Amino acid sequence: MKRVVYTRKGDLSVISLVDEQPLTAKAGEVVVEVHRAGINFADLMMRQGLYGAAPDFPFTPGYEVSGVIIQVGAGVGDKKVGDRVIAMTGFGGYSEQVVVDESRIIPIPEDISFDAAAAMPVTYATAYHMLSYLGNFQSGDTVLIHHAGGGVGTAVAQLAKALGAGIIIGTASASKRKFVESLGMRFVDKNTEDFVAICKQLTDGKGVHHALDPVGGKHLMRSYKALRSGGRVYCFGASSAVTGEKRSLMAALKMLRGMPKFDPLRMMNSNKSVFGVHMGTWKDEDVMRSHLVELSELLRAGKISPIVDKVFRYEEVAQAQKYIHDRKNRGKVLLDFSPR
Ligand SMILES: NC(=O)c1ccc[n+]([C@@H]2O[C@H](COP(=O)([O-])OP(=O)(O)OC[C@H]3O[C@@H](n4cnc5c(N)ncnc54)[C@H](OP(=O)(O)O)[C@@H]3O)[C@@H](O)[C@H]2O)c1
């Protein structure tokens, strides 16, 4: 069976394929034949050595897959060979097979494709965790989301709508205007427009209830400024540390230096909150599982519907990551590992 490996820290040339023996399940585990593996922005940052929570090199990235159970270990409860499932792999998902604890599996609802299933876990669980679980989202709440045309961005737009959002303001590159608008967001050109001013303008000068910031650095303080009294900013990424396929230490340092130091007294006086969010280091699996079960229900009910932009065969993994580096993706990018 084939597996993608990051051999060392670097550009796209460090991505390699290895051939290995098929996997076997120990007690409590299942082996899943992978059909689709999700690519996340974090995978690109890990490849560049810019992601603290990654394993040592060499390793196989990949948080999430969809596929079919092909082997069940002793003592596994109600899962059986042939079941279509989503598996939360932690790492290692870019592979023809994965072995996971049965607790990290959820069934794929009937009529939901392997594509939609693999596109759902990280993006929607992150969106759900911020808006619903931490954010106490109320009908009519207003939202600011950056990278609005990407995986998490499109998930946030759909989920916020499903939760009854008021206005959803999405920033992105100019080429994504129509796409972002088609998702019901008020588009803001991230390079030429002032999103803080627009957030105030569109909310009678008050600001938004929820500002979701995956950019980091100085940008995070601007998101904080876009909040109303009682608003929440979620720091959930540091994409400004990345400039292209090659690592830029300058950009990473600039991002770190620009990170705001929030003053609790000023936060108290302005009634604003800051949440730090990292699903990769989130330890409470019961909470995560309940997010995914809830999201599966929304998926089954047609209230959310993951947008898959492009599926690359796994041999093209470098091109797939380049596609994201080049900011071309509109929604999610997946790898196809299905048997041929
Ligand atoms: N904390 C967590 O648990 C968690 C979980 C999931 C994702 N995240 C974070 O959320 C963000 C979105 O993740 P995603 O997986 O859904 O990715 P994504 O948004 O699909 O990533 C690609 C998009 O990001 C934008 N972008 C901004 N800076 C970029 C750069 N330096 N290089 C390439 N693209 C850049 C581009 O759109 P525009 O140019 O149009 O903006 C691009 O199309 C990332 O920062 C990620 O690390 C965090």
Side-chain angles (χ1 to χ4, degrees):
M1 71 112 193
K2 296 280 199 314
R3 183 163 69 86
V4 173
V5 175
Y6 288 166
T7 53
R8 58 184 189 284
K9 162 178 22 177
D11 59 20
L12 296 166
S13 67
V14 304
I15 303 177
S16 163
L17 271 179
V18 294
D19 207 350
E20 286 179 345
Q21 292 302 312
L23 301 176
T24 49
K26 294 204 271 302
E29 294 178 339
V30 299
V31 177
V32 177
E33 174 188 77
V34 175
H35 284 238
R36 297 286 187 270
I39 301 186
N40 289 286
F41 196 80
D43 304 344
L44 280 54
M45 296 186 78
M46 285 175 208
R47 203 199 65 237
Q48 297 189 343
L50 292 174
Y51 200 79
D56 292 339
F57 292 96
F59 71 93
T60 297
Y63 281 126
E64 57 193 348
V65 304
S66 62
V68 176
I69 295 182
I70 54 170
Q71 202 187 113
V72 174
V76 168
D78 53 349
K79 283 100 188 165
K80 57 182 193 314
V81 169
D83 285 356
R84 300 165 74 242
V85 292
I86 292 167
M88 297 299 293
T89 42
F91 295 97
Y94 289 21
S95 184
E96 282 186 311
Q97 292 179 5
V98 295
V99 62
V100 284
D101 191 274
E102 65 162 324
S103 64
R104 299 186 71 92
I105 293 283
I106 59 166
I108 300 178
E110 227 177 286
D111 299 333
I112 299 298
S113 65
F114 285 125
D115 280 9
M120 193 266 280
V122 173
T123 51
Y124 285 83
T126 306
Y128 188 89
H129 191 74
M130 291 189 275
L131 295 177
S132 283
Y133 182 75
L134 298 174
N136 187 28
F137 196 93
Q138 303 292 311
S139 176
D141 276 4
T142 46
V143 179
L144 166 68
I145 174 71
H146 305 286
H147 302 186
V152 176
T154 53
V156 164
Q158 287 186 0
L159 189 64
K161 245 180 158 180
L163 296 170
I167 191 155
I168 307 167
I169 298 159
T171 78
S173 299
S175 59
K176 298 188 183 114
R177 173 184 288 274
K178 279 213 172 98
F179 176 67
V180 168
E181 287 174 349
S182 75
L183 296 166
M185 289 184 262
R186 161 63 160 85
F187 174 82
V188 176
D189 183 328
K190 68 192 244 180
N191 295 311
T192 61
E193 293 185 289
D194 177 355
F195 69 81
V196 181
I198 293 173
C199 284
K200 298 276 177 184
Q201 227 172 59
L202 295 172
T203 55
D204 298 328
K206 291 189 182 122
V208 295
H209 294 89
H210 308 267
L212 284 63
D213 195 305
V215 181
K218 283 188 175 158
H219 194 271
L220 181 60
M221 185 46 101
R222 293 184 59 221
S223 292
Y224 184 78
K225 287 192 170 143
L227 292 179
R228 68 172 55 212
S229 173
R232 282 136 265 186
V233 70
Y234 308 81
C235 169
F236 78 106
S239 64
S240 53
V242 180
T243 50
E245 293 161 34
K246 287 198 179 127
R247 177 161 89 151
S248 161
L249 277 180
M250 285 291 282
L253 273 176
K254 192 171 164 204
M255 181 281 293
L256 283 174
R257 284 211 194 103
M259 272 292 186
K261 310 269 180 294
F262 290 101
D263 175 347
L265 282 178
R266 290 179 76 169
M267 287 166 62
M268 178 181 86
N269 289 331
S270 58
N271 278 292
K272 293 182 180 179
S273 309
V274 181
F275 287 101
V277 175
H278 193 329
M279 302 315 290
T281 58
W282 181 260
K283 293 283 184 285
D284 191 333
E285 297 218 350
D286 290 342
V287 167
M288 182 60 151
R289 199 179 164 74
S290 82
H291 291 359
L292 290 174
V293 169
E294 187 72 27
L295 287 164
S296 286
E297 280 307 314
L298 291 172
L299 197 59
R300 198 197 312 265
K303 293 195 171 157
I304 57 172
S305 173
I307 297 173
V308 175
D309 178 356
K310 222 166 147 79
V311 182
F312 289 83
R313 192 70 190 154
Y314 68 84
E315 293 92 337
E316 301 167 330
V317 54
Q319 287 100 302
Q321 291 202 352
K322 181 167 169 30
Y323 189 72
I324 300 175
H325 277 301
D326 291 345
R327 301 167 190 256
K328 289 186 175 153
N329 67 302
R330 287 162 169 71
K332 189 85 179 175
V333 180
L334 302 175
L335 293 174
D336 174 7
F337 280 96
S338 57
R340 291 263 163 100

